[in-house]
Amino acid sequence: MQNIPEERRETGSPRGPASRDGFTLTDAERETLMMELTRLVQKSVRESSWWERRGIDCSILTAAFISLPAGFLLLGSSQPLYFLSGVLIMGVAHAVITVKGTHLASHGALSESPAWADFWAVFFIEVCGSFSARAGVQAHVKMHHAHTNVIGLGDSSTWKIPFLPRSVYLFIAPLAVPIITPIVAISQLKGQSPLQILRTVLCVCLGFFSQYYLLRCVSGLSCSSALVVMLLCRAMFSLPYIHVNIFQHIGLSMFSATHRPKRIYQMTHGVLNLPRNPLLDWTFGHSLINCHVEHHLFPFLSDNMCLKVKPIVSRYLKEKKLPYLEDGYISRLRLFFHKYQELMVFAPPITDLVGIQ
């Protein structure tokens, strides 16, 4: 692991003065933009109830867990329609818990208590998500968020597999995510303490074998059928999961570690929102779909709060003539399909924001 600071707020600056509407922005004015936007968002957060801040998202996660018994029972049916309904329920519930739940837990957005936040991170990331909580938080929060689109740090290069053809990468390889995830988790245990390694192994095994046991005992499936169903349910949303993770950063502005812009410029140039999608909004969460810009600017907010402050953020950025990047899912998929070599194989060019900020 590279020796870098864990968090970064407003350090670093462009190489020279930038202008907007003919006026030169000083460092103080750049700082003021982020501070002013932060005050507006904090005001909205303070005026929000617990239900808005955390309750809605906790209720969605709770609903996913409550739906699991019905899914296990339906999977035991000999009727094809009921069985497929069980697979669908299990797949959707798994996506909500392992994508939305793990993402919120990694940011500590499920509880104001640090102790409970740590507990939920271990529960969702390790037990439910089959990954190391420590490695997940390090890679996502302390690297990707702190160094968004910075070459060699948070440039999303971990999602690239250059030797795979575009059709295989975009439409076939993502189906192997349920198999690859625990393998990658094992590789990330290097350097962790023996207690952390033991906890991760036990938690991952607990999550895997609990689902397997329930499929065998409650659904009455054979050994091979239970494993196939587990793979189907865990892979159901793998395609959009991979797509979303590459669509919203790769192909946008990339920055040098030594000449990165201020945070507000870094996030507005290097992050993109997808449009509202009823299915993905619920399963992945607003912060990963249509409020990704807001999430990168204020990663401590829950999905619902990101949605609530979205009008504030978009209006402010547009008033200040800063980018507010948005594009459609199909549009991004078409772009990545036709420019796969440029976006996913070749090294990205470094963007210099001098004169356009």
Side-chain angles (χ1 to χ4, degrees):
M1 188 61 65
Q2 301 181 52
N3 185 20
I4 58 171
E6 289 188 348
E7 293 186 0
R8 175 184 169 276
R9 292 293 180 260
E10 291 293 312
T11 59
S13 61
R15 299 179 185 178
S19 62
R20 187 182 75 242
D21 295 342
F23 296 96
T24 299
L25 293 176
T26 65
D27 281 346
E29 288 172 324
R30 293 191 189 101
E31 296 283 355
T32 301
L33 290 175
M34 190 64 200
M35 291 169 62
E36 185 179 7
L37 178 58
T38 300
R39 283 194 293 270
L40 293 173
V41 170
Q42 287 178 339
K43 181 176 182 293
S44 177
V45 173
R46 286 194 299 268
E47 293 173 350
S48 301
S49 64
W50 177 86
W51 176 252
E52 292 176 303
R53 294 196 309 272
R54 306 184 195 279
I56 291 177
D57 292 300
C58 288
S59 297
I60 294 173
L61 292 172
T62 301
F65 281 106
I66 292 175
S67 70
L68 290 177
F72 282 114
L73 292 173
L74 287 170
L75 285 170
S77 174
S78 58
Q79 298 294 324
L81 182 59
Y82 291 161
F83 180 82
L84 291 176
S85 297
V87 172
L88 180 61
I89 291 174
M90 291 288 289
V92 172
H94 183 268
V96 173
I97 294 167
T98 61
V99 180
K100 180 185 178 72
T102 56
H103 187 234
L104 291 174
S106 69
H107 287 282
L110 294 175
S111 175
E112 295 178 4
S113 165
W116 275 108
D118 290 340
F119 170 80
W120 291 124
V122 172
F123 175 74
F124 279 102
I125 299 175
E126 297 190 351
V127 178
C128 302
S130 301
F131 202 76
S132 164
R134 183 177 181 273
V137 171
Q138 174 69 25
H140 181 70
V141 179
K142 298 178 181 179
M143 290 291 291
H144 174 64
H145 272 273
H147 308 280
T148 301
N149 284 29
V150 174
I151 300 295
L153 296 176
D155 57 4
S156 299
S157 59
T158 54
W159 297 102
K160 297 183 178 182
I161 310 178
F163 62 85
L164 288 182
R166 62 182 179 182
S167 296
V168 173
Y169 180 89
L170 292 172
F171 305 112
I172 299 175
L175 299 176
V177 166
I179 299 172
I180 295 172
T181 299
I183 296 174
V184 174
I186 293 173
S187 69
Q188 295 295 317
L189 295 178
K190 183 180 179 181
Q192 297 189 29
S193 69
L195 285 178
Q196 288 175 325
I197 293 174
L198 179 62
R199 184 199 68 193
T200 299
V201 172
L202 290 177
C203 286
V204 171
C205 290
L206 174 64
F208 180 87
F209 286 108
S210 293
Q211 186 180 17
Y212 175 79
Y213 175 81
L214 291 171
L215 287 171
R216 293 275 282 149
C217 297
V218 177
S219 304
L221 301 179
S222 65
C223 176
S224 58
S225 297
L227 292 175
V228 170
V229 168
M230 287 178 68
L231 180 61
L232 287 174
C233 295
R234 293 176 177 227
M236 187 175 294
F237 285 85
S238 292
L239 283 175
Y241 175 74
I242 294 298
H243 292 168
V244 165
N245 276 285
I246 64 174
F247 288 174
Q248 296 180 309
H249 295 287
I250 296 176
L252 305 179
S253 298
M254 292 288 176
F255 310 108
S256 165
T258 56
H259 297 286
R260 66 176 83 189
K262 296 291 184 178
R263 181 177 178 82
I264 193 166
Y265 298 105
Q266 179 183 352
M267 300 309 170
T268 53
H269 284 82
V271 186
L272 175 143
N273 282 347
L274 295 173
R276 293 291 300 269
N277 182 301
L279 181 59
L280 296 182
D281 285 349
W282 278 79
T283 52
F284 289 6
H286 298 294
S287 60
L288 288 178
I289 305 300
N290 65 301
C291 300
H292 205 52
V293 173
E294 290 76 10
H295 172 61
H296 268 262
L297 287 168
F298 306 100
F300 58 89
L301 296 179
S302 66
D303 288 333
N304 184 67
M305 280 307 303
C306 281
L307 184 63
K308 183 175 181 180
V309 304
K310 181 182 175 74
I312 298 173
V313 173
S314 62
R315 181 170 59 249
Y316 180 85
L317 295 180
K318 290 173 182 176
E319 287 176 355
K320 301 301 180 182
K321 294 182 170 55
L322 290 169
Y324 187 75
L325 304 179
E326 298 177 292
D327 198 6
Y329 188 104
I330 299 301
S331 173
R332 296 298 287 177
L333 181 59
R334 188 180 299 115
L335 173 69
F336 274 74
F337 185 81
H338 291 296
K339 295 188 175 182
Y340 181 79
Q341 291 285 326
E342 176 184 337
L343 297 174
M344 302 298 292
V345 177
F346 302 140
I350 294 177
T351 302
D352 190 345
L353 297 181
V354 175
I356 64 172
Q357 289 183 9

